Amino acid sequence: MYEILMPIDTDTDRALRQARAVEDLPGGPEDVHVTVLHSFTDNPSGASITQLQAARRVESHLEDAGYSVTLDERSGSPADAILDVAAEDDVDLICIGGRKRSPTGKVLFGSVTQSVLLDADRSVLVCRRNVDA
């Protein structure tokens, strides 16, 4: 079984672009397991990944296409959570969604995608952002 980690945030369109990128990979859905991950950086109300529209939509989309899907949630730094889950689950690929950030925004707030790309010890697929946005 080929293991893919798909970290998402709350952007449904970006999560669905990631799901379509997984569908475009070689092989069929019967040989692929996808873990959809969301890391809550601030979660005082105790929300769950199942409460996120993006997670429910991408789970439904992938399952309808025949993929085995698991939802996972963590707390803390998204980049650290992604790398931790990738190691724990020994995933074959991390499929992450990119987004446009200003140079100042990257310096002030960092970039999850950049951190994952620099620190991952496995392959990372970056899905391009919506060029119309």
Side-chain angles (χ1 to χ4, degrees), residues 89-100:
D89 294 352
D90 193 25
V91 301
D92 299 295
L93 176 72
I94 301 170
C95 178
I96 195 165
R99 64 179 172 177
K100 186 174 184 177

Side-chain angles (χ1 to χ4, degrees), residues 99-120:
R99 64 179 172 177
K100 186 174 184 177
R101 307 265 318 254
S102 70
T104 303
K106 288 179 191 173
V107 170
L108 292 176
F109 304 111
S111 167
V112 172
T113 302
Q114 179 178 335
S115 293
V116 170
L117 282 169
L118 293 174
D119 296 331

Side-chain angles (χ1 to χ4, degrees), residues 8-95:
I8 64 166
D9 57 16
T10 58
D11 188 309
T12 301
D13 290 335
R14 185 172 27 251
L16 289 171
R17 279 196 307 275
Q18 289 171 253
R20 286 190 290 275
V22 167
E23 290 177 293
D24 288 342
L25 293 172
E30 64 279 353
D31 298 322
V32 177
H33 177 261
V34 180
T35 299
V36 178
L37 172 70
H38 180 78
S39 181
F40 292 93
T41 53
D42 184 29
N43 190 15
S45 63
S48 167
I49 189 171
T50 59
Q51 294 172 292
L52 298 179
Q53 179 182 3
R56 291 191 315 271
R57 291 277 310 276
V58 78
E59 178 186 36
S60 176
H61 178 92
L62 287 170
E63 285 179 343
D64 288 349
Y67 290 86
S68 170
V69 180
T70 301
L71 299 180
D72 191 358
E73 61 191 59
R74 302 291 168 108
S75 296
S77 161
D80 290 342
I82 292 165
L83 296 171
D84 289 347
V85 172
E88 290 168 16
D89 294 352
D90 193 25
V91 301
D92 299 295
L93 176 72
I94 301 170
C95 178

Side-chain angles (χ1 to χ4, degrees), residues 14 17-18 21 96-99 126-132:
R14 185 172 27 251
R17 279 196 307 275
Q18 289 171 253
I96 195 165
R99 64 179 172 177
V126 179
C127 301
R128 54 186 276 173
R129 65 181 178 82
N130 188 352
V131 292
D132 295 333

